[in-house]
């Protein structure tokens, strides 16, 4: 009896010790998660200091023009979202859509293609045209609306600016300009369900009203009579119609003709009002629009926009003679070659075409009305558009060069003042002598050489400016990489200490080596002094505060590593003391993990890799099932079929074509899947392999009613897809009643899974059906089928884990004593992590990325298909529309995470430990993407590489957020009877 009491007391003591250890681990994990969120948020900001650093600098004086202004006033007309090809090509009957502007090209002015630089959005496009620089991409964090920093523009320099158009554009450039008169239409006027060409007519009506009012308003007439006057008409119709109806629709193409008529009306009105031939006209677009009705990336449909200029100071058309055009090596900002043949269907091959970069339009407009170029402009003056004498050409070009040189000089000065070891840009050390030489050549009337030297100096100035933009790159990149490596090492040590059997083997109290005092205070003191030294150096260099944060985070993490140095040494010795077969298994697992992670990295640029992956995995899985369970051929066939079905989707175009019939049929497919899952659940209770995913439910009839309700809601959603789309297409509006029904179906269906059975299979089926109505109502094509295919593959993953669990328990039975001590430390229904368990986070990452790329590219701006939200809202509401689009993209992710959580319960893994492993593996990819970030090539390549890095950096927060949401659905999941407790036959 006394022995039993001692044993009981010892067991109770171990329980208390285990509880205390669990509490300590939980506290450490809270701080570790907070540290991870802070680190990833902080280091994600580093891309703005390295690659997205604002090009805007202040403190420079404008360079005045030394020529007489060719024009007294300028009219700028921008057709938002107007593609060059749709503007210039003929219609199906051979008639051109813009007859007036074509007559200008042939009779009055000059034309070309303006090449925009991604991101091809409205705000950065207008900034390029009006201010002459390519906007700091960090402005995307403010929705391209508010000014992240104030910048100079042609409007700022004008005597007065009159502007009419969209509320998303006009206030950006006019609200802070005191000498401006402007009006914008209300947001409510922008309805995606109708023909938006009335928005363009609104701008014309306001301008006509202004001109008419000036006849009786002396103050207004005086303003209109001044020189250096700018009139700006922003026409938003093509952009809105392109999003809503696509650029090949009759509504969009008719809008091109509306814009042409407006340009003609404005020209006629101006010429009749002034009648002095002193007005210059510039017509262009901020960006194009893709065939699927989106923009943002670097595709030619988005970057190629029309440019037509005529009037005072603009050259007339030049005859184009046949000549051998060869590539001269020059590429525009969208990576298009300089010498590109004009398509024959445009019927403009006989008229000389002068292409420009979009930022070149700002110096062109400034020169036409005698204004200094905007001080932050990086545009090159396109002399091919200007009607100037040789002297005036060189003077205008030199003013453009000095303005860009000033930016370089100011940037060089700021860096020299704040650097201990300053390294100048050597090609421009003697810039003043080059300027003097150009001035001497102008005095000697050697204009050709002077012009060539001026253009060469401008190119060097741009290179020098880029040199100082990237001056701190090496230092910052080294710091960020060290920070990530420090974080990953800390995370790995925590997982090994807290979630593996090594805690009992090498971290027990018997191991005196680990528990020796290591003088942690000295480690932290050394780290603190190192931080202070770095902070002082950064402060003396007047580095931004974020630089301090980058360095402090890296030093803090490596200080913690030095604190755990004995632990790391012990782990290292333990690994090498194991049998060679164990070491070989560890090496093979690491190599396989790296291979899979590299595969995932490659899939970001080539999503078709998933097709080959699932073809191979399906075949391999089927063969293994046939070998292990020859009496269960249906399981093998199922795994093969669902993997091959999912492999099809990454072959499909990322631009999802409209197919409402496919969406409607998908609803029926979802219901069939639900019934199949329910039948499987009811017939698998006696199966010794698969019984672990179901358990007896006494409330089966009550749960059946809930299942039927969910099935009905899915079918109703399919019906609403047809009704809402048909009515909107026919009547150009979405009925309020349809909106109410759609919102109700989406909202109620997501709550119902909370009341479903807690059986693993039943709850997952209910979750699938619960999100199905929302996904159907937000789908426009094959992505609805993808949702079902992904669910089938996830079910295949569960079956594989069931089979593996059965085999493992069969091997280990009847000896189950090895894990009993670990259960004292973990929760009663969890076991320690083993090397083979790494497959679970790896499979999760593959499936999570399949959800990422299965129906497009979440990393691309152009993947956000706005027509997906038209069954919920059509009146323009950017925040609501964006929220709906993001929610749609998150639904497949949540399904994957729900299955992941269920599997951790099924095979008794600590979910938080698996989460940390997912983050650890994700950060391996993050570091790789950090090295893949580019600063050369097209802006699309640069932007994509940075977005990939940013997306992987956000995984720690994104996954934590989704885990928290999905935990509401999965926390009560219960698994059935494990094979270990059954008799093995």
């Amino acid at each position: 009896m006394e022995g039993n009491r001692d044993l009981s007391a010892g067991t109770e003591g171990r329980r208390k010790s285990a509880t205390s250890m669990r509490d300590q681990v939980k506290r450490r994990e809270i701080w570790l998660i907070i540290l991870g969120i802070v680190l990833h948020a902080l280091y994600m900001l580093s891309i703005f200091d390295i690659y997205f650093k604002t090009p805007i600098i202040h403190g420079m004086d404008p360079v005045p023009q030394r020529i007489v202004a060719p024009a007294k006033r300028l009219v700028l007309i921008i057709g938002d979202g107007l593609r060059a090809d749709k503007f210039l090509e003929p219609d199906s009957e051979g008639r051109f859509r813009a007859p007036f502007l074509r007559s200008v090209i042939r009779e009055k002015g000059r034309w070309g293609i303006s090449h925009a630089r991604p991101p091809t959005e409205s705000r950065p496009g207008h900034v390029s045209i009006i201010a002459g620089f390519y906007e700091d991409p960090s402005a995307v964090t403010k929705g391209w609306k508010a000014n992240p920093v104030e910048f100079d523009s042609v409007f700022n320099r004008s005597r007065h600016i009159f502007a009419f158009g969209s509320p998303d554009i006009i206030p950006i450039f006019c609200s802070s300009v005191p000498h401006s008169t402007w009006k914008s239409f209300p947001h409510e006027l922008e309805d995606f369900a109708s023909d938006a060409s009335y928005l363009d007519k609104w701008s014309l009506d306001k301008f006509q009203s202004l001109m008419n009012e000036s006849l009786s308003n002396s103050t207004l007439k005086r303003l209109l009579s001044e020189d250096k006057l700018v009139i700006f008409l922003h026409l938003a119709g093509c952009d809105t119609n392109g999003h809503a109806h696509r650029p090949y629709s009759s509504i969009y193409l008719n809008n091109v003709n509306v814009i042409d008529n407006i340009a003609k009306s404005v020209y006629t009105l101006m010429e009749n009002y002034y009648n002095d031939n002193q007005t210059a006209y510039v017509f262009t677009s901020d960006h194009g629009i893709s065939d699927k009705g989106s923009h943002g990336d670097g595709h030619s449909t988005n970057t190629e926009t029309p440019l037509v200029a005529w009037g005072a100071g603009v050259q007339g058309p030049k005859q184009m003679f046949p000549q051998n055009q060869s590539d001269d090596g020059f590429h525009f900002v969208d990576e298009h070659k300089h010498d590109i043949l004009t398509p024959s269907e445009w019927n403009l091959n006989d008229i000389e075409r002068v292409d420009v970069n979009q930022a070149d339009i700002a110096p062109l407009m400034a020169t036409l009305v005698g204004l200094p170029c905007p001080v932050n402009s990086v545009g090159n003056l396109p002399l091919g558009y200007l009607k100037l004498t040789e002297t005036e050409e060189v003077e205008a070009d030199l003013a453009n060069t000095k303005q860009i040189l000033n930016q370089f000089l100011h940037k060089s000065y700021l860096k020299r003042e704040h650097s201990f070891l300053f390294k100048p840009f050597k090609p421009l050390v003697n810039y003043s002598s080059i300027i003097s030489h150009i001035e001497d050549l102008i005095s000697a009337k050697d204009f050709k050489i002077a012009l060539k030297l001026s253009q060469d100096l401008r190119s060097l100035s741009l290179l020098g400016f880029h040199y100082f933009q990237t001056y701190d790159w090496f230092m910052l990149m080294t710091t960020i990489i060290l920070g990530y490596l420090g974080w990953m090492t800390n995370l790995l040590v925590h997982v090994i200490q807290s979630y593996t059997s090594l805690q009992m083997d090498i971290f027990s109290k018997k191991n005196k080596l680990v528990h020796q005092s290591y003088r942690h205070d000295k480690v932290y003191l050394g780290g603190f002094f190192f931080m202070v030294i770095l902070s002082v150096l950064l402060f003396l260099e007047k580095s931004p505060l974020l630089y301090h944060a980058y360095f402090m985070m890296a030093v803090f993490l490596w200080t913690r590593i030095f604190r755990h140095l004995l632990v790391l040494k012990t782990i290292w010795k333990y690994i090498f003391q194991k049998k060679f077969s164990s070491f070989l298994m560890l090496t093979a697992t690491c190599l396989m993990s790296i291979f899979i992670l590299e595969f995932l990295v490659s899939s970001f640029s080539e999503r078709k890799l998933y097709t080959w992956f699932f073809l191979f995995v399906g075949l391999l899985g089927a063969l293994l099932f046939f070998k292990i369970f020859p009496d269960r051929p249906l399981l093998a066939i199922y795994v093969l079929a669902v993997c091959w079905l999912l492999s099809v989707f990454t072959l499909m175009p990322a631009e999802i074509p409209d197919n409402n019939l496919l969406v409607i049929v998908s609803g029926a497919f979802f219901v069939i899947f639900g019934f199949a899952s329910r039948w499987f659940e009811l017939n698998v209770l006696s199966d010794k392999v698969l019984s672990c995913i179901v358990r007896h439910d006494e409330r089966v009839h009550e749960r059946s009613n809930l299942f039927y309700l969910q099935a009905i809601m899915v079918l109703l959603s399919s019906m609403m897809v047809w009704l809402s789309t048909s009515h909107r297409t026919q009547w150009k509006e979405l009925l309020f009643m349809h909106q109410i029904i759609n919102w109700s179906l989406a909202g109620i269906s997501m709550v119902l899974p909370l009341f479903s059975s807690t059986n693993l299979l039943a709850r997952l089926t209910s979750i699938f059906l619960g999100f199905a109505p929302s996904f159907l109502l937000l789908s426009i094509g094959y992505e609805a089928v993808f949702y079902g295919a992904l669910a089938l593959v996830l079910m295949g993953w569960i079956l594989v884990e069931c089979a593996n669990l059965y085999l493992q328990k069969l091997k280990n039975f009847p000896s189950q004593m090895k894990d009993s001590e670990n259960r004292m430390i973990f929760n009663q229904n969890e076991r320690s992590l083993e090397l083979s368990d790494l497959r679970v986070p790896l499979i999760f990452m593959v499936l999570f990325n399949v959800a990422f790329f299965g129906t497009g590219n979440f990393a691309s701006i152009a993947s956000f298909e706005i027509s997906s939200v038209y069954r919920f809202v059509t009146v323009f509401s950017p925040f609501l529309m964006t929220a709906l689009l993001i929610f749609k993209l998150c639904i497949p992710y949540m399904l994957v995470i729900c299955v992941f959580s269920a599997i951790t319960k099924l095979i008794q893994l600590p979910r938080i430990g698996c989460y940390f492993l997912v983050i650890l593996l994700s950060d391996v990819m993050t570091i790789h993407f950090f090295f893949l970030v580019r600063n050369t090539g097209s802006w699309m390549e640069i932007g994509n590489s940075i977005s990939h890095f940013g997306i992987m950096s956000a995984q720690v927060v994104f996954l934590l957020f989704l885990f928290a949401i999905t935990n509401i659905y999965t926390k009560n999941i219960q698994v059935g009877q494990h094979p270990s407790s059954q008799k093995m036959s």
Side-chain angles (χ1 to χ4, degrees), residues 338 747 763:
H338 183 264
R763 176 56 65 93

Side-chain angles (χ1 to χ4, degrees), residues 518 520 523 557-566 568:
Y518 187 65
H520 291 167
V523 175
L557 289 166
W558 281 95
T559 301
R560 284 179 55 87
I561 291 173
F562 279 106
R563 175 197 168 193
H564 293 295
L565 198 58
L566 282 178
L568 292 170

Side-chain angles (χ1 to χ4, degrees), residues 66 398 401-403 405-406 409 430-442 453-454 457-458 461:
R66 298 198 297 192
L398 184 58
T401 297
K402 287 179 178 178
Q403 168 263 319
L405 179 64
N406 280 352
L409 295 175
N430 298 318
Y431 72 91
S432 56
S433 62
I434 301 175
I435 291 288
S436 299
H437 185 43
I438 294 172
E439 298 280 8
D440 292 340
L441 288 171
I442 294 174
L453 286 177
S454 174
L457 178 59
R458 187 163 66 243
S461 298

Side-chain angles (χ1 to χ4, degrees), residues 477-527:
M477 292 180 77
T478 303
T479 303
I480 301 303
I481 294 301
L482 287 174
Y484 273 114
L485 291 176
W487 156 254
M488 292 166 63
T489 305
N490 277 278
L491 199 59
L492 183 61
V493 169
H494 172 74
V495 171
I496 291 174
Q497 280 186 307
S498 304
Y499 292 105
T500 67
S501 60
L502 269 67
Q503 62 176 317
M504 301 303 297
D505 294 338
I506 64 175
F507 297 125
S508 64
K509 292 182 179 179
K510 296 177 182 179
N511 195 328
K512 297 179 181 178
L513 179 64
V514 174
H515 292 278
Q516 290 177 350
S517 174
Y518 187 65
R519 300 186 183 277
H520 291 167
D521 53 343
K522 289 188 176 182
V523 175
Y524 283 122
L525 191 62

Side-chain angles (χ1 to χ4, degrees), residues 57-65 152 157 372-377 399-407 409-410:
I57 49 178
H58 299 286
M60 299 167 296
D61 295 324
V63 179
Q65 297 285 352
D152 191 22
R157 297 291 167 188
C373 286
V375 293
N376 291 114
S377 171
N400 182 203
T401 297
K402 287 179 178 178
Q403 168 263 319
I404 292 177
L405 179 64
N406 280 352
Q407 295 182 70
L409 295 175
H410 196 66

Side-chain angles (χ1 to χ4, degrees), residues 106 128 145 308 311 444 551 553 559 619 637 665 808 812 846 980:
R106 288 197 164 275
S128 298
K145 300 190 185 300
V308 182
F551 277 93
M553 180 62 75
T559 301
L619 185 61
I637 294 171
V665 171
Q808 290 299 319
N812 295 337
V846 171
S980 60

Side-chain angles (χ1 to χ4, degrees), residues 679-694 761:
W679 175 88
F680 184 78
E681 179 187 1
L682 295 174
N683 289 273
V684 81
L685 270 171
S686 60
D687 192 293
K688 62 185 179 182
V689 178
L690 304 176
S691 61
C692 57
I693 61 175
V694 297
L761 186 57

